[in-house]
């Protein structure tokens, strides 16, 4: 086995960069409402192949807003469930429809596909452009089905730093707490993409900020597959994920 990937244990999918939000802190810059997304069957095949060879312990789907393309999200998590991957995670802003019935149906489909850990991105930034009503509706629906749900906020500088964004985020989190929904540790915004443009008052733009999600290229534990199928030096539309992993050099 390729020694650089022998410890692979997690597969992530950026299902799409399309998004319903327009967040000021977004590391990906600006988004449109529709866009390229990964084909459901191609993504599911990659999960089955990788989980058949490696000890994959978690599969995660995020975006953009992944629930703009629920077929793909469900296919990925169904494959992970069938392969016995224990952690099947979704990060969503919770806003993909204003129709209560559609929201409840999407929640049921996710639960049936085996999603078992939902991180709901809600905070001062998301709620500048995303209405809280449908997000709460989704939160109620998915947690009512027994799926673990936590609000996953983004903090400016750190959780304890006093600034108007963090105060507004704390108020939003209290609303969810009132519904019995707790929060994750969240993440701290690093000045990249839109965040660099809009939040430079809170950061030293000359300083190099380390991305906490950066991988050691010589010991890849997580692979992230992009909406166009690209991953490492290959593409799952053209080449099996196993071949891509086998051929990988840092
Ligand atoms: S931070 Fe998330 S919800 Fe906001 S625009 Fe970026 S991808 Fe969309």
């Amino acid at each position: 086995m390729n020694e650089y990937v022998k410890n692979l244990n997690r597969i992530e999918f950026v299902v799409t960069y399309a998004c319903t939000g327009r967040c000021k802190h977004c590391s990906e810059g600006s988004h449109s409402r529709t866009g390229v997304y990964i084909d459901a069957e191609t993504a599911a095949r990659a999960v089955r192949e990788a989980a058949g060879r490696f000890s994959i312990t978690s599969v995660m789907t995020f975006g953009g807003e992944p629930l703009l393309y629920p077929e793909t999200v469900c296919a990925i998590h169904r494959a992970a469930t069938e392969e016995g991957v224990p952690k099947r995670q979704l990060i969503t802003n919770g806003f993909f429809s204003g129709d209560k019935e559609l929201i409840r149906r999407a929640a049921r489909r996710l639960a049936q596909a085996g999603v078992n850990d939902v991180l709901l991105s809600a905070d001062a930034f998301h709620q500048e452009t995303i209405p809280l009503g449908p997000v709460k509706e989704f939160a109620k629906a998915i947690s009512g089905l027994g799926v673990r749900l936590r609000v996953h906020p983004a903090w400016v500088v750190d959780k304890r730093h006093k600034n108007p964004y963090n105060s507004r985020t704390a108020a939003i989190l209290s609303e969810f707490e009132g519904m019995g929904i707790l929060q994750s540790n969240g993440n701290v915004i690093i000045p990249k993409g839109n965040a660099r443009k809009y939040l430079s008052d809170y950061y030293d733009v000359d300083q190099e900020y380390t991305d906490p999600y950066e991988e050691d290229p010589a010991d890849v534990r997580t692979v992230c597959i992009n909406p166009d199928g690209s991953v490492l030096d290959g593409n799952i539309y053209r080449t099996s994920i196993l071949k891509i992993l086998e051929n990988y050099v840092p």
Side-chain angles (χ1 to χ4, degrees):
M1 181 180 290
N2 182 343
E3 63 170 305
Y4 301 124
V5 299
K6 65 178 191 296
N7 295 318
L8 181 75
N9 59 23
R10 178 173 166 90
I11 313 172
E12 296 178 350
F13 289 89
V14 184
V15 171
T16 181
Y17 284 116
C19 194
T20 49
R22 298 284 173 275
C23 303
K24 216 178 241 171
H25 71 310
C26 186
S27 59
E28 301 302 336
S30 40
H31 298 264
S32 57
R33 244 189 136 87
T34 55
V36 174
Y37 62 99
I38 307 187
D39 168 66
E41 184 39 41
T42 309
R45 187 176 63 230
V47 171
R48 286 193 291 266
E49 288 176 351
R53 177 77 60 88
F54 295 86
S55 294
I56 303 296
T57 54
S58 69
V59 166
M60 201 247 273
T61 46
F62 65 115
E65 175 40 54
L67 293 182
L68 288 173
Y69 301 104
E71 290 296 337
T72 296
V73 174
C74 289
I76 290 169
H77 290 293
R78 204 174 300 117
T81 305
E82 286 162 7
E83 292 296 328
V85 176
K87 190 167 189 174
R88 303 177 296 269
Q89 217 173 23
L90 165 71
I91 304 184
T92 172
N93 66 31
F95 181 47
F96 47 94
S97 170
D99 180 321
K100 287 187 180 175
E101 192 36 52
L102 280 180
I103 293 171
R104 288 186 207 124
R105 198 183 312 154
R108 281 197 299 272
R109 287 173 70 194
L110 291 169
Q112 280 160 4
V115 171
N116 62 8
D117 189 23
V118 176
L119 293 173
L120 185 66
S121 304
D123 49 43
F125 299 102
H126 288 84
Q127 270 50 72
E128 276 186 343
T129 56
I130 294 173
L132 258 184
V135 176
K136 286 183 174 173
E137 201 59 45
F138 174 71
K140 247 192 301 181
I142 195 85
S143 57
L145 293 164
V147 177
R148 183 181 196 218
L149 170 75
R150 287 163 296 158
V151 183
H152 189 59
W155 301 104
V156 174
V157 185
D158 66 49
K159 190 175 175 174
R160 286 171 304 278
H161 188 266
K162 299 259 177 271
N163 63 68
Y165 294 110
N166 286 358
S167 305
R168 172 80 184 116
T169 293
I172 290 168
L173 292 174
S174 312
E175 291 190 41
F176 281 100
E177 267 172 40
M179 296 166 63
I181 298 166
L182 302 181
Q183 54 184 279
S184 71
N185 289 334
N187 59 287
V188 168
I189 298 168
I190 54 166
K192 253 176 81 180
N194 273 357
R196 192 176 177 84
K197 195 154 122 195
Y198 296 112
L199 299 174
S200 54
D201 285 357
Y202 299 100
Y203 294 89
D204 174 358
V205 283
D206 295 327
Q207 191 188 317
E208 274 290 311
Y209 288 87
T210 322
D211 186 339
Y213 302 110
E214 220 156 82
E215 279 277 310
D216 174 359
D219 183 16
V220 174
R221 286 154 192 261
T222 300
V223 283
C224 184
I225 302 176
N226 292 306
D228 64 358
S230 61
V231 54
L232 300 175
D233 301 321
N235 189 300
I236 57 169
Y237 284 113
R238 294 191 288 277
T239 315
S240 147
I241 182 102
L242 295 181
K243 198 108 211 108
I244 295 171
L245 291 166
E246 203 46 54
N247 292 340
Y248 169 73
V249 280

